[in-house]
Each structure stands twice: as structure tokens, then as C-alpha cells.
Amino acid sequence: MTSRDEVGRLAKAFNSMSEELEQRMETISTDRNKLVAILSSMVEGVVAIDQDERVLHLNQVAAEMLDVPDGNQEGRPIWELTRVREACAILSRAIRDRQDLSQELTLSSMDGDRSLVLRACPIHDSSRDVVGAVLVLHDVTEESRFEVVRRDFVANVSHELKTPLTAIRGYVETMVDDAEMDGETRARFLDRIRSQVLRLGTLVTDLLTLSRLDSRDDHVDFHRMDLRQTVTESVHGLRGKAETKGLSMSVDIGDAPLWLVGDPEAMRQLIDNLVGNAINYTPSGGWVRLRLSADEEEARLQVSDNGVGISPKDRERVFERFFRVDKARSRELGGTGLGLAIVKNVALAHGGSVSVDSELGRGTTFTVRLPLTGPES
Ligand code: ADP
């Protein structure tokens, strides 16, 4: 239309209106796509409903957390889609009470428990009327698990430190109260105090080793080292202990150096702990065997014994901090329950791994694998 009369002007107005409308539609559609892209890439689950509790939006994570059937669920009531009643209830309450709400929730399933934090808030329109609600679901399973591990660890450390301290205090108070105590009893008490102090010392050393391994800048102590050399030095120190207990100890470590990048002190603790355990948990008359072998890429250290063995149930837990199959027996032998946790951490810090193979009453083999570097690198 090019005429200059009313019809022409009207047509022009229509044209510019339709252009404007098209532009607005495009902006709305771009904004919506952006929003959907953001919501679908979030690690949190998000559900938005209107005031009739019908779904406006539900991202993939929320669908999975709330076990919502596949497909487009827009427009369907939320309570029809999920069996997680708490999610529906908190959304309804946010609409009814017009306020932000939060709640923790544990969902049990075949794959284990899942801890969620739910946060719901009402959606307002421009005149401040509530027209729906949004729910954000945050998976805190890992955090909860770490928190439990941390709490258990602190409780264990406190308990382990308190036991020898209580004993020392008992001996000291008895000695202070009894000025007439005969020399023999006094010497016996002092000897017990000394062994409790040694125990405290071992415990603190093990805790410091673990904390050093846990801290990230640990690699500053790493340098090129010959694993065979470290094994030789460790074995030298432990032979006497095996002999005193009446155990035969065989060592097969070849004669070529095995180069890796690591911390020799930590590696020595790894070997000492494995061989020390093999000696401790094998009755006299038994044997302890240490083998070191390698292919082009990795070294394999095996420590075997024909001692008491570890049941399959306990085998899964022996690398946990403070886990001991027989607490009293381990204490008697001077154990802290941290030895194998240190072994595992040292192996992991060196890019390696540790595994255990055992049969109750027949013996145990621990295998440590460590990546090697070339001779010149
Ligand atoms: P501990 O200081 O008690 O020896 P560890 O962390 O070194 O602590 O070992 C954890 C537990 O694993 C021990 O208490 C013991 O029950 C079991 N264990 C470790 N090594 C052996 C082994 N060679 N034979 C049998 N049991 C073992």
C-alpha cells in the first residue's frame, strides 16, 4: 500500500506494528531459550509451578532426583508426577505462607541414601500477588558423607589420645599420693608411663604423616629416588624384629635400581607399616616374604605372610583410619590403626594403588603398585 490517504496510513501503522511484534516475539523467544539453557545446565534440580501447582518448568536434574517420568510434563500437577511428598508439600507451603522455606531430606533408594537440601520460594507478579513457586534441590550427599567421616575422625582421635593420657594420670597420681611407694613398684609404674608416652608419640607421628599427605603441597618433598634402595634400608631395620618373634623372613628384591619420583621418607613408612603388620599378625614359627618386581611402567611391591589373615568383610575396611579387626590386640602390639591408611595415602600420593588378598587363618598379601620414571628423566 503506497497511497497517502487513511487506508495508506493505516497500512503503514499495521506494518510497523507487525515488525515491532515480530521483534518482541524474537526477544521473548531468545530470552526463553537462554533461560531453558541455563536451567538445564544447572547441577541443582529446579521446579517451577503456578498457583494451581501445575508444572511451569522442571529441569532434567529435578526430574531425575524426584523420579519424574520422561517427557514434557508442563501443565501437569506436580503431585501427580512425583512420589516425593516433601517436594510437593514445601512448594504448596511456599505459595500458601508467601515465604521462603528450606528443608533437608534423605531419599533412600537401591543405590543408597541421597541427602538433599530443598529451598522453595514464592513467585510474585508485578502487583506482588503470588502466582506460583520455585523449588531448588541441592544434592549434598558427598558433603554429608565427608561431615560424618570428619566427625568420626575427630571422635576417634580424641578417644585414642585420651586413653593413654588417662593411664598416665592414674600412675602419676598414685605415685604422688603414695610417698612411701617401694622402689620396685615405682620403677614398674615409670615403665608403664614410658610405654604410654611412646604410644602417644607414635599416634601423633602417624597423625602428622596423614595430615602431611592430605595437604596438597606435599609434592614439594618429591624427588627422584631408587625404590630398591629404600626397601633395602627398611628391611634392614625390621629383620631383627622378625627374628626376635621367631619368624623367617625372605626378601626377593632383584639388584637393578627402580627409579621413581617420590618422597623416600613416606615410602619408608609404607614399607615399614606393611612389613611391621606382617610380623605383628603372624604367630611365631611363621614366615614373612617381601618381593619387589617391575615391568617397564610400574614397580610391584608384595608383602606376604602366613599369619592370622583378614576376613572378606574386614578386608574392605582395613584401609580406613582407625579401623582394627581386634582393637585390644592391635593396641597391645603398639598399633594405632592408622598404618594401612598411611600406606594407602602414600601409594595414592605417588600415583599408585594398594590392594589386599587374604584368607582367614592362612595368611595375607598386600600388593602396592607404583609408576616408575625412566632412568634418565
Ligand atoms: P594397626 O596399627 O592396628 O596395625 P593398620 O592400619 O596397620 O593398624 O591395620 C589395620 C588392621 O588390619 C589391623 O588392626 C589388623 O587387624 C589388620 N591387618 C593389617 N595387616 C594385617 C596382616 N598382615 N595380617 C592380618 N591382619 C592385618
Side-chain angles (χ1 to χ4, degrees):
M1 278 282 187
T2 51
S3 63
R4 288 167 176 271
D5 57 8
E6 279 91 355
V7 178
R9 286 211 299 278
L10 196 62
K12 215 169 153 195
F14 267 125
N15 281 341
S16 73
M17 241 167 64
S18 87
E19 249 170 52
E20 204 176 304
L21 208 58
E22 200 174 310
Q23 254 174 22
R24 279 196 195 173
M25 292 295 281
E26 210 175 290
T27 316
I28 290 172
S29 147
T30 317
D31 284 353
R32 192 186 150 77
N33 287 346
K34 267 192 215 158
L35 192 65
V36 170
I38 292 169
L39 290 173
S40 60
S41 61
M42 278 173 70
V43 286
E44 286 89 4
V46 181
V47 184
I49 58 165
D50 63 16
Q51 68 266 51
D52 299 324
E53 301 187 359
R54 290 178 188 280
V55 170
L56 296 170
H57 185 84
L58 186 135
N59 72 357
Q60 189 54 43
V61 181
E64 190 245 321
M65 285 174 173
L66 299 176
D67 201 15
V68 171
D70 288 345
N72 182 9
Q73 308 296 5
E74 262 183 53
R76 292 186 58 191
I78 182 70
W79 38 264
E80 242 181 55
L81 299 174
T82 178
R83 268 179 304 209
V84 182
R85 290 289 138 229
E86 293 84 350
C88 306
I90 197 171
L91 277 165
S92 319
R93 268 199 297 135
I95 296 177
R96 194 189 60 214
D97 301 347
R98 303 168 150 263
Q99 60 173 345
D100 296 2
L101 300 164
S102 73
Q103 170 186 346
E104 284 184 25
L105 175 67
T106 305
L107 294 178
S108 302
S109 75
M110 302 270 271
D111 310 327
D113 284 357
R114 191 169 196 183
S115 306
L116 299 178
V117 172
L118 312 186
R119 286 206 175 85
C121 58
I123 308 173
H124 301 278
D125 64 9
S126 49
S127 46
R128 302 293 303 155
D129 285 333
V130 172
V131 291
V134 180
L135 172 66
V136 176
L137 303 114
H138 190 55
D139 189 335
V140 291
T141 313
E142 278 287 281
E143 286 93 326
S144 309
R145 209 167 50 81
F146 279 135
E147 183 54 25
V148 170
V149 170
R150 195 191 62 79
R151 249 185 268 155
D152 283 358
F153 182 68
V154 172
N156 274 323
V157 170
S158 316
H159 178 74
E160 294 292 330
L161 288 173
K162 209 170 164 207
T163 312
L165 281 174
T166 309
I168 292 169
R169 190 171 155 187
Y171 293 130
V172 171
E173 278 176 358
T174 314
M175 285 166 75
V176 169
D177 289 347
D178 185 0
E180 312 282 288
M181 185 182 274
D182 63 274
E184 200 183 310
T185 316
R186 185 171 291 267
R188 207 173 62 235
F189 273 31
L190 283 172
D191 195 46
R192 289 192 188 152
I193 290 173
R194 179 171 47 197
S195 75
Q196 294 296 341
V197 170
L198 287 176
R199 200 172 133 62
L200 276 175
T202 318
L203 189 63
V204 172
T205 309
D206 280 358
L207 285 170
L208 284 174
T209 306
L210 274 177
S211 124
R212 197 163 61 93
L213 288 164
D214 283 344
S215 68
R216 293 201 176 184
D217 52 1
D218 185 58
H219 283 243
V220 290
D221 295 331
F222 277 33
H223 51 80
R224 223 167 97 81
M225 56 172 278
D226 173 13
L227 181 63
R228 195 182 157 278
Q229 172 73 22
T230 313
V231 172
T232 313
E233 286 164 13
S234 265
V235 168
H236 188 71
L238 288 160
R239 250 188 210 290
K241 193 177 171 192
E243 272 163 22
T244 315
K245 201 176 166 187
L247 298 173
S248 71
M249 188 160 164
S250 69
V251 178
D252 173 10
I253 56 175
D255 31 42
L258 292 176
W259 296 108
L260 53 84
V261 175
D263 173 356
E265 182 46 41
M267 207 50 86
R268 192 163 304 128
Q269 287 197 31
L270 176 148
I271 303 158
D272 285 357
N273 281 326
L274 287 180
V275 180
N277 278 347
I279 295 172
N280 279 341
Y281 299 104
T282 304
S284 62
W287 51 258
V288 172
R289 199 161 50 209
L290 193 143
R291 283 196 64 206
L292 182 63
S293 56
D295 60 22
E296 304 221 315
E297 269 148 31
E298 62 175 23
R300 206 171 65 146
L301 176 75
Q302 276 189 310
V303 179
S304 315
D305 63 61
N306 68 339
V308 296
I310 309 168
S311 71
K313 176 172 69 71
D314 294 329
R315 233 177 286 153
E316 289 169 21
R317 302 197 55 198
V318 286
F319 296 104
E320 285 174 22
R321 294 172 187 199
F322 292 114
F323 178 81
R324 290 175 277 204
V325 177
D326 181 344
K327 260 195 176 162
R329 182 177 180 162
S330 153
R331 282 221 186 97
E332 212 175 285
L333 295 165
T336 59
L338 295 173
L340 289 177
I342 292 177
V343 168
K344 184 177 171 186
N345 277 29
V346 173
L348 290 179
H350 287 77
S353 63
V354 56
S355 58
V356 56
D357 199 9
S358 182
E359 210 177 311
L360 205 56
R362 307 209 59 160
T364 307
T365 297
F366 282 93
T367 306
V368 177
R369 291 167 199 277
L370 297 163
L372 294 169
T373 53
E376 303 303 332
S377 63

